[in-house]
Amino acid sequence: MPFEIEPQAYLDLDAKFHRALVKAADNVVVDALMSSLHDSIRGYTTLCASMTDDWEDVRIRLQKEHELILDAFLRGQHGSAANLVAEHIDNYYNHARISERGNELRSPY
């Protein structure tokens, strides 16, 4: 069920969800990759959220996607969960690309 939360607090929980999912999948390569890219990913997602004029709608959609991913993973449908994760990341990236119209998306690093 959706709940209200500030963007940065949500993004911190989002990162923890993704890290927990990778650890549960026992994927050491992706775990190492996410660890090394943590600051860059955090900066990018924070920047995207700040450029989004419909953050609450985006957050609700992201939360629903997380629920679908977790459900598939817990049911042992790991291929489906992996596909949902890829779609989830693509959706956020594509939304950020749409949000940047009229703005220039730049990394803070």
Side-chain angles (χ1 to χ4, degrees), residues 22-23 25-34:
V22 168
K23 286 187 181 297
D26 200 28
N27 190 327
V28 295
V29 174
V30 174
D31 187 32
L33 183 62
M34 286 184 70

Side-chain angles (χ1 to χ4, degrees), residues 26-97:
D26 200 28
N27 190 327
V28 295
V29 174
V30 174
D31 187 32
L33 183 62
M34 286 184 70
S35 292
S36 66
L37 294 174
H38 176 266
D39 290 341
S40 294
I41 293 169
R42 187 173 196 268
Y44 180 77
T45 58
T46 299
L47 181 62
C48 292
S50 72
M51 294 176 65
T52 299
D53 58 0
D54 59 343
W55 167 250
E56 191 60 19
D57 292 337
V58 171
R59 185 196 55 77
I60 290 169
R61 189 194 78 236
L62 293 173
Q63 188 173 331
K64 287 178 182 176
E65 290 173 0
H66 284 170
E67 291 168 1
L68 292 172
I69 292 165
L70 183 59
D71 183 60
F73 185 83
L74 293 175
R75 290 179 184 270
Q77 300 169 343
H78 300 147
S80 178
N83 289 336
L84 290 167
V85 168
E87 289 175 21
H88 171 68
I89 293 168
D90 285 345
N91 287 343
Y92 191 71
Y93 174 78
N94 288 330
H95 184 83
R97 300 288 296 167

